[in-house]
Amino acid sequence: MPYFLFKLNEKALFMTLLRNFFNWYFGRNALPYWSIVIFDTLTCFFGGLFIMWLRHPLTELLSEWPLLLHSFIAFGLFNVIGFRLFHTYSGILRYSQFIDLLRVCYANMFALALASIANAVVRGSAPDSFLATQFYPFTFRMLLIMYFGTALMMCLTRICIKLVYESALIGKTAQHTLVYGTHAGAIAITNNCRNTKPVRYIIDGYIGDSKPHYKERLMGKHIYSTQEDLAAVIRERNIKCLMVSPLKHDLFVKNRQLQDLFINAGVKIFISLDVEEWSQHPNEKKNIQMREVKIEDLLPRDEIQVDMEKVGALLSGKKVLITGSAGSIGSEMVRQIAIYKPAEMMLIDQAETPQHDIRLMMKNQYPDIKAETVVTSICKQDRMESIFSTFRPDYVFHAAAYKHVPMMEDNPSESIQNNVWGTKVIADLSVKYGVKKFVMISTDKAVNPTNVMGCSKRICEIYVQSLDKAIKDGKMQGVTQFVTTRFGNVLGSNGSVIPLFHKQLAAGGPLTVTHPKIIRFFMLIPEACKLVLEAGTHGKGGEIFVFDMGEPVRIADLARRMIQLSGATNVEIKYTGLREGEKLYEEVLNENENTKPSFHKKIRIAMVRNYEYEEAERDIEDLCQIAAQYDDMATVKKMKDIVPEYVSKHSRYEVLDKKEA
């Protein structure tokens, strides 16, 4: 083989071995402890020889080599004791921090103390003694210089390994990042960013809430204060991302000014996937997963605490029937109830595809629970009779309803047949077959209704309340307790404004808002369902439970923030005018109502007018007969007779109010 080919192959082999070594090293979570101990010991050994060589001629070192070798072996043993005592090997070299360097210094100081004692014994021994003939007599100055030098070499080695590792794995598109938080959550985020390969986020500093202190640092990076000019920091450091510690999540959500600062600067915001778990066990978590923030995450609302254990104790081992099980609320009710292992579940919805999804979910996630999914309408009285007579539920959660305001404004007869008649069918069967508790899910649109949908739900409230009163007054045989829950919009529900905005953003806009001043209350679906379960299981019957929805949100502001979060620059907001039956703001109670406290600070009981069952039933029977004729005007007129506070807005039915006036 020609010489140049041999040299070429030799070079290729060397590069392959080097590449394999780097891949092996960087592909591991950490080197074994023993390898770090050996590495540090050899560093001390050869570092000490190097320092001796700097001060003494090579010939002198060679002449004293046996004594030096024995001494350095003893010093190496002292170093190992120091390493073990201060755990210098416990850290990962490529993630070395200031505390790791301190451990190295402490270990070398301890080893220096042992070496000084041993060397004093050697120097004090007789010239012909065993110690004098086996070990080299150092001066204390030489020991001090040698141990200082070896400690410095160990620290520099760690720093160099860290720098090489970070520079090798930083991606070309790595973004400069700030972390909001200075405790366990922030450290976990930093470690997670450093462990990700290639490195996508370079941590440039941390943000705390205390007054600025320019000497404060965390993991080698500066700690900024929310009281500083963070906008200047973003510009100077070219910050592209903000990671919010799970321990700072609630503070960040409430700090609108801080949110706007980063959103307006075009900074991407990331939050933890498991905020609640981190908040409860901040010291037990080691890793953290982040996701880009959504507009839902930034809506101001207080955390809702619900005693789900008590709820679970009531539902465990019981038969539960849920109508509207495929809807936004109904499906979440299914998931939350299934956790507590009811004896059986009967799930009813007329939407085939989402109902099929619920069926698969129950089969995969809760295979031990007997759950029957039925595709049918609650308006079919004979079918519902068959289900109730066979299943005999203990609890009924009634979430089935038509809910889209514009659709029901165009189809009032269908609204009555589904919402009102369907509710009557389920409620009457609940009494007939001895259901313990019937929980109806209503809406804030039932208060001072301005549209068909809201009025239909108010009529449902009237009927179930009157039914409960009739049972309590002894006018009707039964044991069923009827409870109503009333709340506003839930985030992410079918047809809500936020999913609509997401679709419009994906299409390039514009985002459509009906009116610049329109406001709405919002609540997370899981939170709403937890409150429904607690209100439903704790209610004694006849109550209308009103949920505290927090602060209302201006929809136009919501649209603007979604545009900013998306990073879009050419998306406009288009005002389309109020829809039929729509009002600028929703209420939870009408002006003639008041509330009293309940068992939960987020739940209050509405004090409303009581209706007699005979009157309510007669009115509803008449209403349903009119609706069956599909005479929209006559249907709505009857609805206004039943609910006098129903005044149409932006609707063709306003003419009925004018005639009455």
Side-chain angles (χ1 to χ4, degrees), residues 256-286:
R256 180 69 177 268
Q257 184 178 357
L258 187 62
Q259 295 172 26
D260 290 341
L261 171 67
F262 285 95
I263 292 173
N264 294 333
V267 175
K268 291 185 178 180
I269 302 172
F270 294 85
I271 61 172
S272 171
L273 290 175
D274 50 1
V275 172
E276 186 175 347
E277 187 176 353
W278 254 97
S279 301
Q280 294 176 354
H281 310 286
N283 298 320
E284 297 181 8
K285 302 287 291 184
K286 301 298 182 184

Side-chain angles (χ1 to χ4, degrees), residues 359-422:
R359 180 176 184 161
L360 293 178
M361 184 272 293
M362 291 297 300
K363 183 179 179 180
N364 295 329
Q365 299 183 22
Y366 305 99
D368 298 333
I369 298 178
K370 185 179 179 181
E372 186 173 350
T373 50
V374 178
V375 178
T376 188
S377 170
I378 59 172
C379 301
K380 296 180 178 179
Q381 191 169 5
D382 292 342
R383 180 71 173 117
M384 292 299 105
E385 178 94 35
S386 174
I387 291 173
F388 270 79
S389 64
T390 304
F391 185 66
R392 301 279 178 158
D394 298 302
Y395 288 86
V396 172
F397 292 91
H398 180 43
Y402 288 150
K403 66 177 185 178
H404 294 287
V405 171
M407 289 291 292
M408 295 305 99
E409 209 67 12
D410 293 336
N411 300 275
S413 298
E414 292 292 348
S415 176
I416 295 302
Q417 292 182 58
N418 186 79
N419 293 3
V420 178
W421 176 251

